[in-house]
Amino acid sequence: MHDEFLCHVTGYGVCGGRRIGVPLGTYRAPTLALALWWLRDRASWMAERLDPGPHSTHVPASALVPVPQSVPDVPGILRGWCADLVQQELVADELAAGRLVRIAASDDTTEYELLAESVDALRMQRTVPALYLPVA
């Protein structure tokens, strides 16, 4: 069982013809449960900022307008992932097995990425190449 997890949230967009990543948060979770909680919390946090409710106190009146159905619903995707218990179990199983997990949603301009990986798995990956170095 992997005990510690490194979690990241990043937004990616294009600037000057190049793909640019903007870190939105990092958390070193001491347990699998806290890693999953943080990923859900950050997904909800992004969804609320991308699509605040009409009665939100930090958005001026009349600033929110409906968008066409053709616009990708990133906040809906993030909220749906948070509420999907099957997806949560799948992420937990992958992390517990030491595999990298990536949850991503994109609209026309930006890709939003949640990433988590086992600190133990990272350490093991770093030592593997050293085991195969030829001795002179």
Side-chain angles (χ1 to χ4, degrees), residues 48-101:
E48 180 58 29
R49 273 134 191 90
L50 292 169
D51 183 24
H55 304 293
S56 178
T57 59
H58 64 277
V59 178
S62 303
L64 300 177
V65 296
V67 296
Q69 291 288 20
S70 61
V71 174
D73 184 11
V74 171
I77 292 167
L78 294 171
R79 288 181 178 117
W81 178 79
C82 289
D84 189 334
L85 297 178
V86 172
Q87 285 294 317
Q88 299 302 312
E89 284 295 320
L90 178 62
V91 168
D93 292 344
E94 292 294 305
L95 286 173
R99 290 187 281 277
L100 173 75
V101 171

Side-chain angles (χ1 to χ4, degrees), residues 22-125:
V22 177
L24 301 174
T26 299
Y27 176 58
R28 190 170 180 144
T31 66
L32 177 59
L34 285 174
L36 292 169
W37 170 83
W38 191 83
L39 291 170
R40 283 190 306 271
D41 181 69
R42 293 295 86 194
S44 296
W45 176 83
M46 284 191 297
E48 180 58 29
R49 273 134 191 90
L50 292 169
D51 183 24
H55 304 293
S56 178
T57 59
H58 64 277
V59 178
S62 303
L64 300 177
V65 296
V67 296
Q69 291 288 20
S70 61
V71 174
D73 184 11
V74 171
I77 292 167
L78 294 171
R79 288 181 178 117
W81 178 79
C82 289
D84 189 334
L85 297 178
V86 172
Q87 285 294 317
Q88 299 302 312
E89 284 295 320
L90 178 62
V91 168
D93 292 344
E94 292 294 305
L95 286 173
R99 290 187 281 277
L100 173 75
V101 171
R102 179 178 183 265
I103 298 107
S106 300
D107 58 23
D108 295 341
T109 63
T110 309
E111 178 181 48
Y112 303 91
E113 175 186 76
L114 298 144
L115 197 67
E117 54 195 330
S118 163
V119 172
D120 294 333
L122 286 170
R123 288 180 185 141
M124 289 186 283
Q125 289 171 5

